[in-house]
Amino acid sequence: MFATDTLGQGALTGITVLDLGQAFMGPYCALLLQRLGADVIKVEPLKGEPYRRPTVRKGTEMMQFGLLNAGKRSVSLDLKNPEGRELFLRLAATADVVIQNFAPGTFDRLIGVDAVLDANPRLILASGSGYGSTGPYRSLRAMDLTVQAMSGVMATTGFPDGIPVRTGPSVVDFMGGAHLTAAVLAALVQRSVTGKGQHVEVALYDAILPSLASNIGGYLDNDGAIPERTGNRHGGLEVSPYNSYKTQDGWAAILCLHDRHWASLCRAMERPELIEDPAFKTGRARAASIDRVDAVVEAWTSTRTTDDVIMVLSDAGIACAPVKSLREVITDPQVAERGMLRYHSREDRDWWTLGSPLRLSDSPAPEESEVPRLGEHTAEVLAERLLLERSELEALDACGVTGTGTEVKDGYHGRSSLALVDTADS
């Protein structure tokens, strides 16, 4: 349950989450909960979560894993082993939330929804899936790419004369993870009233569809007469200018949502005569003359540097931004100031962490910590939550039910995970 006094602590201090998540959706939901103060215990197979695999080029653990799992504790269990399954159910009995986004049918085969909720009637079981538990697609395997294909995201990404394109970022997985977080928080609030847990579900397909509002709205408003893919233009082709425009040294994204913005842009471009031009005066007229509008804007931007364009238009109150590279984003002072991406280094390793987009004035995010080694906290968590003794932990490890992590046994933290059990037992 929630801690009674969390002022100055994370909003979810006192909440324990078991994270069975894999890839992006489940782990991102768990990461947001951890950044809100929850104790997140990542439960992994003995060989680790799939994104622990070595990268193709460097042969080191994938950076994606670190970005999504720093600050969590790692417990390694063989859930296919009856003893491993029993240990998980015992842990679930002490937890508040379980997160899983396995392929359809996998969770029921390994654990079972009823078994988890029977073990702890106050538990929130959060399930992420591709298409949900109902409907004709419910049994389909899903990844970000395939849901983008099925949902219309790919059909609406790219240029009219080009092929369907996936979005650069994994928008489906992260939209799904954010929605799953909202469902968990709502269920925790309801539990505080009813005392009962429940099973909450978010499907990637459901979560991404609302993001197509402009595209679907424009398509319906125009009786399907506009192209599905509009490049960098507005999805419904209803706002103009709305595009990325070439500059002397790069690109600038510019849009004018209202007529007053267009008038300001015309003055900034020193083309005041265009304000009253019937071809450009209203939003409807500009949408009908979208090619001409873009040509006028780019004729101006192409004679200036990106910095100059942004400075002039920002002063004029026009929404605009430089089109930045990944390198520029990683080193962006705004990103650094907000703590959204941080580099950490120790003598024997380095890692990156993500900050939280959720900001609460009285509940700061916990201090960031390292990316857990596989199984690093197995003995610590089982001793702490299940009161297992050292001999029991050693026996479980020896027969392959649990894993405590080679690095930890070798003293990565100065003492082994089993040494922590001695402290807890004393």
Side-chain angles (χ1 to χ4, degrees):
M1 60 188 300
F2 293 105
T4 56
D5 181 10
T6 61
L7 189 63
Q9 302 180 58
L12 296 185
T13 296
I15 295 295
T16 299
V17 178
L18 300 183
D19 174 18
L20 285 170
Q22 306 207 9
F24 290 157
M25 183 189 188
Y28 184 60
C29 171
L31 179 71
L32 290 176
L33 298 176
Q34 189 275 333
R35 295 293 190 261
L36 289 171
D39 176 16
V40 176
I41 300 168
K42 186 170 183 66
V43 181
E44 303 183 66
L46 299 188
K47 292 185 178 180
E49 200 247 285
Y51 270 31
R52 278 195 188 269
R53 68 180 183 270
T55 58
V56 174
R57 293 177 178 83
K58 288 187 175 181
T60 55
E61 190 172 274
M62 299 183 77
M63 281 289 183
Q64 293 98 311
F65 181 85
L67 288 171
L68 290 167
N69 293 286
K72 303 176 184 179
R73 295 196 282 174
S74 174
V75 167
S76 185
L77 288 179
D78 181 5
L79 296 181
K80 296 179 181 179
N81 185 305
E83 288 186 76
R85 178 180 182 274
E86 180 60 26
L87 284 172
F88 179 81
L89 288 173
R90 291 173 63 186
L91 284 174
T94 74
D96 299 282
V97 180
V98 167
I99 298 170
Q100 68 89 16
N101 64 314
F102 289 120
T106 302
F107 183 76
D108 284 328
R109 187 167 62 251
L110 290 175
I111 304 295
V113 172
D114 291 340
V116 172
L117 296 179
D118 286 345
N120 184 355
R122 288 177 52 81
L123 188 75
I124 311 301
L125 173 58
S127 293
S129 63
Y131 302 99
S133 58
T134 59
Y137 300 160
R138 63 185 180 276
S139 298
L140 295 180
R141 287 177 172 268
M143 297 293 285
D144 188 280
L145 174 65
T146 60
V147 178
Q148 285 199 32
M150 289 283 276
S151 65
V153 172
M154 286 183 67
T156 55
T157 304
F159 289 86
D161 57 351
I163 64 172
V165 179
R166 70 172 290 274
T167 62
S170 300
V171 293
V172 171
D173 279 337
F174 286 89
M175 185 81 80
H179 279 72
L180 193 58
T181 302
V184 168
L185 295 176
L188 286 171
V189 170
Q190 187 171 30
R191 189 187 70 173
S192 70
V193 177
T194 66
K196 295 181 180 179
Q198 60 182 298
H199 184 196
V200 301
E201 175 192 76
V202 168
L204 295 173
Y205 192 74
D206 298 344
I208 198 62
L209 279 175
S211 71
L212 294 165
S214 291
N215 309 83
I216 292 172
Y219 187 83
L220 295 175
D221 285 340
N222 291 276
D223 298 321
I226 64 171
E228 290 184 310
R229 291 186 292 286
T230 59
N232 293 321
R233 289 172 169 172
H234 183 262
L237 294 181
E238 295 178 346
V239 180
S240 176
Y242 186 114
N243 212 330
S244 60
Y245 300 92
K246 190 77 177 73
T247 66
Q248 286 183 338
D249 58 354
W251 297 84
I254 302 169
L255 70 114
C256 292
L257 193 59
H258 301 295
D259 292 342
R260 67 178 184 275
H261 298 141
W262 169 248
S264 295
L265 177 60
C266 290
R267 287 188 286 269
M269 296 188 300
E270 299 181 347
R271 297 290 306 275
E273 75 279 4
L274 297 178
I275 298 174
E276 297 301 325
D277 188 319
F280 305 115
K281 186 174 182 179
T282 66
R284 177 175 292 183
R286 291 191 298 278
S289 306
I290 194 166
D291 290 332
R292 291 179 62 192
V293 171
D294 282 347
V296 166
V297 176
E298 191 158 281
W300 177 74
T301 61
S302 62
T303 64
R304 297 170 177 265
T305 65
T306 303
D307 286 346
D308 186 38
V309 169
I310 301 307
M311 180 182 68
V312 171
L313 297 190
S314 294
D315 288 345
I318 306 298
C320 60
V323 178
K324 293 190 174 184
S325 67
L326 278 179
R327 177 182 292 276
E328 290 173 312
V329 172
I330 290 170
T331 58
D332 193 307
Q334 177 72 14
V335 174
E337 175 66 25
R338 300 285 288 177
M340 286 305 299
L341 187 61
R342 293 180 178 173
Y343 173 75
H344 308 266
S345 180
R346 282 180 46 151
E347 185 176 331
D348 56 348
R349 72 189 301 206
D350 58 359
W351 69 100
W352 292 80
T353 57
L354 289 172
S356 174
L358 310 178
R359 306 297 173 102
L360 286 70
S361 62
D362 292 336
S363 306
E367 290 293 323
E368 293 177 2
S369 58
E370 296 188 35
V371 180
R373 305 281 190 176
L374 174 60
E376 178 179 338
H377 304 97
T378 302
E380 174 186 313
V381 169
L382 296 183
E384 168 193 302
R385 305 195 72 82
L386 304 185
L387 304 180
L388 297 188
E389 297 181 355
R390 181 188 179 99
S391 58
E392 295 176 282
L393 295 166
E394 290 177 334
L396 289 168
D397 202 42
C399 65
V401 176
T402 65
T404 54
T406 303
E407 294 84 359
V408 177
K409 287 181 179 179
D410 290 342
Y412 174 73
H413 287 288
R415 57 177 179 171
S416 73
S417 180
L418 292 177
L420 294 175
V421 176
D422 291 336
T423 302
D425 288 344
S426 60

